[in-house]
Amino acid sequence: MDMEMLRLAESAALLAGHALKDRRSAWAGIENAAGHDVKIKADRMAEEMIVTLLQRGSDHPILSEETGFIGAGVGEKRRWIVDPLDGSLNYHLGIPMCCVSIALYEGLEPILGVVYDFNHDALFSGQIAAGAWLNHVPMHPSATTEIGAAVLGTGFPVKSDFSMEGLTHLIGKIQGYRKIRWLGSAALSLCYVACGKMDVYQEENIRLWDVAGGCALVKAAGGVVTMEEANLAEHRFHVTAQNGRLNVI
C-alpha cells in the first residue's frame, strides 16, 4: 500500500512540475507580497493540481502550504504534507532552484517523500525502510566524517531574526563547515543531503511543508533527521538532517 502511495505522490509531483516548467511565463507573476514572503500564481495553480490527484487516489487529509488543512478526518493519523512550489521567489526570478515537494507522514514520522526538481528533470523519491532513489536509481548520503570537511545547506526562513544577536547565533552554528550553500529551497537542500551532494542541512523556524518531503528522503536514504518543535501552531520546527556520520551541534 505504501508503495502505491509513493507512486501516487510521484505522479502528482510530475504532473505539477511539468506544468510549472511549461507555464512559467503565465504563472510566475506575484499575487501577494508581505515582508520577506512572496506568493505567486504558480503556488496556487500547482496546489490545485496536486490536491486533485492526491484526493482521487487516497483518503488521507492534506496539509498544504497555500490552503492549510484539506479534508482533515477525525482520528486520521496519516496525512499528506505538500509544498506545491518550494522556492517561489527563485521561480519568479527565473532562477532554476525550485521544486515540488510531497510527503506522507504519520504524526511527525515520515512514511515516504517525493521531491521533483522540474528544472533539471530530477525526481527524488523515498520510502522509509525501503530506500531512496534519484530518477529510480538508488541514492545514499555522503561518507564525510568531519565537520571541517562538510558542506552545509541552510537558509533564512520568512520569519528569521536578522538582529545582530540572531546573526551572531547563526554564524556560530555555521562557521566550522568547509562550505555553506544557500539555495533558496529547503526541499532541494535536503535532497542534496540525501544523495550525497551536501553533508548537512540545518535551519531554524522552518515550516513543516518546506522540509517534510526532503526529511523523508534523507531518512529513507539512510541519513539522520532531527526535528525540534519551535511553534507547533504555525508548523515551525528547528531541523537538522545529515549523513549520519557527523557530530552536528
Side-chain angles (χ1 to χ4, degrees):
M1 177 61 74
D2 288 344
M3 189 57 71
E4 291 179 12
M5 293 297 99
L6 182 64
R7 297 294 173 247
L8 175 63
E10 288 179 339
S11 296
L14 288 167
L15 179 69
H18 290 154
L20 285 162
K21 185 175 182 179
D22 293 342
R23 303 174 191 176
R24 200 189 76 80
S25 59
W27 286 6
I30 294 176
E31 292 190 330
N32 183 41
H36 298 289
D37 198 16
V38 172
K39 296 297 181 185
I40 61 178
K41 183 177 181 180
D43 293 304
R44 179 170 49 82
M45 301 303 291
E47 182 186 75
E48 289 178 6
M49 299 178 75
I50 293 166
V51 167
T52 297
L53 194 54
L54 292 181
Q55 288 184 323
R56 188 181 301 160
S58 81
D59 296 325
H60 301 311
I62 301 167
L63 172 63
S64 185
E65 178 176 8
E66 308 311 313
T67 303
F69 283 106
I70 302 169
V74 176
E76 177 65 56
K77 293 183 178 180
R78 289 192 171 192
R79 59 178 173 173
W80 294 106
I81 304 175
V82 175
D83 189 344
L85 178 57
D86 188 48
S88 298
L89 185 59
N90 283 350
Y91 182 85
H92 168 71
L93 296 172
I95 299 171
M97 300 301 293
C98 42
C99 59
V100 178
S101 175
I102 302 173
L104 183 63
Y105 272 57
E106 185 162 337
L108 290 176
E109 289 298 320
I111 297 167
L112 59 87
V114 173
V115 173
Y116 183 44
D117 174 0
F118 50 86
N119 289 295
H120 303 99
D121 195 27
L123 179 67
F124 299 86
S125 57
Q127 181 182 326
I128 303 303
W133 305 271
L134 171 52
N135 290 336
H136 300 112
V137 176
M139 65 178 183
H140 306 280
S142 72
T144 305
T145 58
E146 299 293 334
I147 291 292
V151 176
L152 168 72
T154 189
F156 284 119
V158 171
K159 291 190 176 181
S160 291
D161 177 6
F162 290 101
S163 68
M164 286 304 299
E165 182 180 354
L167 293 174
T168 299
H169 170 72
L170 174 65
I171 291 169
K173 293 180 74 70
I174 70 176
Q175 62 184 351
Y177 290 92
R178 171 172 284 173
K179 292 289 184 180
I180 315 297
R181 291 293 176 261
W182 311 68
L183 303 184
S185 168
L188 278 183
S189 296
L190 285 157
C191 286
Y192 289 171
V193 174
C195 73
K197 292 182 178 180
M198 292 183 184
D199 306 297
V200 184
Y201 164 83
Q202 198 166 49
E203 197 159 347
E204 297 184 350
N205 289 303
I206 189 76
R207 290 288 182 90
L208 180 58
W209 42 74
D210 293 317
V211 297
C215 284
L217 289 168
V218 172
K219 194 168 183 179
V224 174
V225 176
T226 59
M227 297 178 62
E228 177 188 345
E229 293 179 9
N231 186 326
L232 196 56
E234 295 185 357
H235 311 290
R236 294 188 181 278
F237 293 82
H238 303 322
V239 176
T240 299
Q242 55 135 318
N243 62 9
R245 300 169 181 265
L246 294 162
N247 183 21
V248 179
I249 300 174

